[in-house]
Amino acid sequence: MRPLQLELRGFTAFRERVVVEFSGRTLFAITGPTGAGKSSLLDGMTWALYGQVPRVGRQTRQLISHGEKSMSARLDFTVRGESYRVVRRTPATVGTRLEQLLPDGTSLPLADRASDVTEQIEQLLGMDYATFTKTVLLPQDAFDSFLRGDDQQRRMILTRLLGLGTYEEARRSARAR
């Protein structure tokens, strides 16, 4: 997955609409003083994709900017050469959706219920929330949790990331024969 653009509104430090453009960059760093919202950008991406974030889990209402009634996140990203847009809002109102962005500028709706959006994201990215946060996101102070995780957990994560499940199925099938 490659992020293209992130838009947040009413999300933690970002009371007003903020747009972060990632397209055209092969490498970027998120820097700034404590409290500037660096972690909130990563949380916003994660919430857009999975509907939860590491520091509060599914209790995301507490991420709404002080004094605001709602928050939203929109993430445009590519996977295997295809472009997608995921949008989430809370309180949960019409607006949670996943769509494929087509080359002609139109979009193809893929899901419009929070649970369906998350399920589709898992299929597109080939990983669930736990795997994403342990291998892609690696929140502050969590890098060594992947390195220090037990062997079976690391093996499962790497098998999923590298698409080695196909070989495991072939092994089982061959053994059964």
Side-chain angles (χ1 to χ4, degrees), residues 26-41:
T26 55
L27 180 66
F28 56 89
I30 301 172
T31 64
T34 301
K38 299 177 300 293
S39 294
S40 292
L41 292 174

Side-chain angles (χ1 to χ4, degrees), residues 1-5 22-28 45 75-80 82-84 125:
M1 183 210 50
R2 177 178 289 271
L4 298 174
Q5 187 179 71
F22 298 102
S23 58
R25 291 170 170 65
T26 55
L27 180 66
F28 56 89
M45 279 189 214
L75 178 64
D76 295 354
F77 62 97
T78 61
V79 175
R80 292 180 289 285
E82 301 289 333
S83 296
Y84 299 90
L125 301 185

Side-chain angles (χ1 to χ4, degrees), residues 72-148:
S72 65
R74 185 190 87 208
L75 178 64
D76 295 354
F77 62 97
T78 61
V79 175
R80 292 180 289 285
E82 301 289 333
S83 296
Y84 299 90
R85 172 173 290 154
V86 61
V87 178
R88 290 196 196 255
R89 291 189 174 91
T90 196
T93 58
V94 177
T96 298
R97 67 184 185 279
L98 173 65
E99 50 196 26
Q100 184 175 1
L101 303 175
L102 304 174
D104 66 3
T106 62
S107 63
L108 175 66
L110 300 176
D112 62 2
R113 288 183 357 171
S115 60
D116 294 341
V117 167
T118 302
E119 185 178 307
Q120 290 283 324
I121 290 291
E122 289 175 356
Q123 289 176 7
L124 282 171
L125 301 185
M127 64 184 87
D128 61 9
Y129 169 78
T131 303
F132 181 82
T133 58
K134 287 184 178 136
T135 60
V136 176
L137 181 63
L138 295 176
Q140 292 177 1
D141 302 326
F143 180 71
D144 69 7
S145 73
F146 174 71
L147 295 178
R148 294 180 187 194

Side-chain angles (χ1 to χ4, degrees), residues 47-69:
W47 182 60
L49 292 168
Y50 292 100
Q52 57 184 312
V53 297
R55 62 180 153 154
V56 298
R58 294 186 191 278
Q59 305 300 317
T60 55
R61 283 181 167 262
Q62 58 190 297
L63 298 174
I64 298 173
S65 297
H66 183 70
E68 295 296 309
K69 292 182 168 62

